[in-house]
Amino acid sequence: MPDDRFGMLFVCHANLCRSPLAERLARRAFDDAFGPEAAAIVTASAGTRAYDGSGMHRGSAEVLAECGVDAGGFVSRTVTAAILRDADLVLTAEGDQRAACLTLAPGAVRKAFTLRQFARFAAAVPPVTSGPAAARMHRLVAEVNATRHLAPPVPAGQDDLPDPVNQPIEAFRACAEDVWASLRSVVGAITAV
């Protein structure tokens, strides 16, 4: 995307539960932080094994409604190399999905992270607080890439977002809280004063 726009792509397995939650919660987080200027940050989602054209899982839609976030109009899609190339930042639910994305688009290595991983890295860099929101996100990704080698390693699986599929609604609520906490770190890295 051009520098005055920033595309965030959230990827999970089927593009029914976690990535739709992240897409819609990210939209809310950026809208709350930047108002109309947030339109320059585009949020989208896809799945490594999606059934194209499916609706959002009812658990994710219910939790979004509880948060006051519109779940309407969502349609699942399968991630492709072209979708990955068009994104400025790819945030996956799990490391396996990150690996699948990099198999499709090896050139995405410096813009693909798990959501939790990117949130950890973003919280560790100096805040990027000047300029338009999209430009701040571009600079944040550059800062994260410049310093990611300094981050201490974490245990395997710690950066993975648990899948709530086939679980009670409480698992979807926990997933949404986890996503929201990660998004607070990301948005905080470009709004802190």
Side-chain angles (χ1 to χ4, degrees):
M1 286 194 170
D3 284 345
D4 63 342
R5 307 275 294 161
F6 187 87
M8 292 180 76
L9 177 69
F10 297 94
V11 179
C12 70
H13 180 78
N15 193 211
L16 298 175
C17 300
R18 293 170 292 178
S19 57
L21 271 174
E23 173 191 343
R24 297 298 171 96
L25 289 173
R27 177 78 275 131
R28 165 59 72 77
F30 285 107
D31 287 348
D32 287 353
F34 291 99
E37 184 185 338
I41 298 175
V42 178
T43 63
S45 64
T48 56
R49 302 266 189 244
Y51 295 101
D52 291 344
S54 297
M56 187 184 303
H57 189 286
R58 68 181 179 280
S60 292
E62 183 177 331
V63 169
L64 286 173
E66 291 172 0
C67 297
V69 175
D70 183 19
F74 178 82
V75 184
S76 66
R77 65 182 178 157
T78 303
V79 70
T80 64
I83 291 170
L84 292 165
R85 277 192 303 273
D86 286 346
D88 295 302
L89 179 61
V90 178
L91 299 175
T92 65
E94 299 177 21
D96 288 348
Q97 286 126 23
R98 180 180 182 271
C101 289
L102 294 179
T103 298
L104 284 171
V109 69
R110 294 184 55 80
K111 64 181 180 179
F113 306 83
T114 70
L115 173 59
R116 284 178 164 179
Q117 177 188 45
F118 189 77
R120 277 191 308 106
F121 293 165
V125 300
V128 179
T129 58
S130 63
R136 291 182 195 193
M137 282 302 299
H138 283 289
R139 288 200 316 275
L140 178 62
V141 173
E143 286 289 328
V144 163
N145 273 302
T147 60
R148 69 192 294 176
H149 65 284
L150 301 174
V154 297
Q158 182 174 314
D159 283 334
D160 290 349
L161 185 63
D163 193 347
V165 73
N166 299 324
Q167 296 185 50
I169 192 64
E170 291 77 21
F172 287 86
R173 290 183 183 121
C175 182
E177 288 172 14
D178 201 339
V179 167
W180 192 250
S182 292
L183 291 170
R184 272 197 314 268
S185 292
V186 173
V187 174
I190 62 169
T191 57
V193 185

